[in-house]
Amino acid sequence: MSDQPSTSAKTQVQAHLHAISQLLRDADRLGPEEQALLADLVDELGNALESPAVPDEKVATLTERTSQLVQAVHEEHEPGVLAAAEERLEHAVMAIETKAPALANLTRRLAEMLSNLGI
C-alpha cells in the first residue's frame, strides 16, 4: 500500500479546493485584500493536504467539510446551519490533528478568517 494519496482521493480533494476557491472569488462582500488572504490560505491548505501522514479518507473528509462550511457561509444560511457546518469541520480537524497539526491549524485559520470577515 502506498503512502501517497490515491488518485481518487487527490481528485476529490482538488475538486473541493476548487469549489472553495470559486466560492471565495464569488463572494461580493470580500475586498481584494480579503480575497487574496483567503486564496493564499487555501493554497497553503492545498499544499499541506499532500502530507502522507494523513490517511486519504481523512483528507477527503476534511476538504469536504471545509467546502461545506464555505458554501454555507457564502449562501448566508441560518446560524444553526452554520454552527452545524463549523462543528462538522471541527470534528474533521480533530481527527487529523495528531498526525498533521499544521494542516489542522491551517483549516482552523480558514474557518476563523471566514467568521471574522462575516461571509
Side-chain angles (χ1 to χ4, degrees):
M1 182 178 238
S2 173
D3 287 339
Q4 295 300 315
S6 69
T7 302
S8 174
K10 280 187 177 183
T11 301
Q12 186 176 10
V13 168
Q14 289 169 345
H16 284 297
L17 288 174
H18 178 71
I20 291 168
S21 296
Q22 191 60 48
L23 287 170
L24 293 173
R25 279 189 204 94
D26 293 342
D28 295 333
R29 293 169 283 167
L30 291 179
E33 288 180 29
E34 291 90 358
Q35 283 181 326
L37 281 170
L38 286 169
D40 288 346
L41 192 53
V42 170
D43 285 341
E44 285 182 55
L45 184 60
N47 292 336
L49 287 170
E50 293 294 323
S51 170
V54 183
D56 292 351
E57 66 275 359
K58 298 222 186 271
V59 169
T61 299
L62 184 68
T63 55
E64 179 181 357
R65 299 296 186 246
T66 303
S67 179
Q68 289 171 352
L69 176 60
V70 171
Q71 185 170 0
V73 170
H74 180 70
E75 293 175 358
E76 300 180 24
H77 284 282
E78 296 177 13
V81 174
L82 292 173
E86 288 176 5
E87 186 176 325
R88 285 190 303 270
L89 177 59
E90 182 59 27
H91 286 293
V93 168
M94 289 170 34
I96 58 100
E97 194 162 31
T98 57
K99 291 190 178 205
L103 178 56
N105 183 45
L106 284 170
T107 305
R108 283 190 175 117
R109 281 179 45 208
L110 176 61
E112 183 179 327
M113 286 181 74
L114 290 170
S115 177
N116 289 342
L117 291 170
I119 67 160

